[in-house]
Amino acid sequence: QVPLVESGGGLVQAGDSLRLSCAASGRTFSTYGVGWFRQAPGKGREFVAAVSWTGSTTYYANSVKGRFTISRDNAENTVNLQMNSLKPEDTAVYYCAAGFRSMGRAAERYDYWGQGTQVTVSS
């Protein structure tokens, strides 16, 4: 098991920034790829960004590329998602997910999921 806890969500205005954090417990977190997904009301889950277990490889959805940055600190067992230039369409519940030596854009790549953190961007 890899319990994951997201934090950092909130209510901001368009153009503002937020940094989400995904904290994991366990000594093997450095062997897990981590992805961020989001789900807006009435919509399906959407891939946002992912980072490999070493941190050397990252993927982004086209909708966030250039605005969001994913990074990880394996010493601290955390993965961060820096979100800049936020738009109202970024409003969603954001989830982090971890997969053993796995990463990618598909949710099926990940075995463990957090409970999510709400991000609301007002216009």
Side-chain angles (χ1 to χ4, degrees):
Q1 292 286 332
V2 182
L4 303 171
V5 178
E6 302 96 336
S7 62
L11 171 62
V12 297
Q13 293 186 329
D16 286 350
S17 299
L18 276 177
R19 189 172 87 156
L20 305 185
S21 291
C22 175
S25 58
R27 293 178 292 178
T28 62
F29 185 62
S30 60
T31 59
Y32 284 78
V34 174
W36 282 96
F37 293 78
R38 66 188 182 187
Q39 187 164 16
K43 295 187 177 181
R45 185 168 47 192
E46 175 190 22
F47 168 77
V48 176
V51 62
S52 63
W53 48 99
T54 63
S56 60
T57 303
T58 56
Y59 296 152
Y60 295 94
N62 288 336
S63 59
V64 307
K65 197 172 295 182
R67 299 189 297 124
F68 291 11
T69 303
I70 190 170
S71 62
R72 69 184 299 155
D73 184 340
N74 284 338
E76 297 293 329
N77 277 9
T78 58
V79 171
N80 296 315
L81 184 68
Q82 178 66 41
M83 306 187 297
N84 298 329
S85 302
L86 283 162
K87 304 175 181 180
E89 50 263 44
D90 294 319
T91 295
V93 177
Y94 283 70
Y95 300 90
C96 67
F100 178 69
R101 296 194 185 278
S102 180
M103 68 169 294
R105 295 177 171 87
E108 293 72 21
R109 291 277 190 174
Y110 303 94
D111 304 305
Y112 303 103
W113 293 79
Q115 295 300 305
T117 185
Q118 176 71 47
V119 172
T120 303
V121 184
S122 64
S123 57

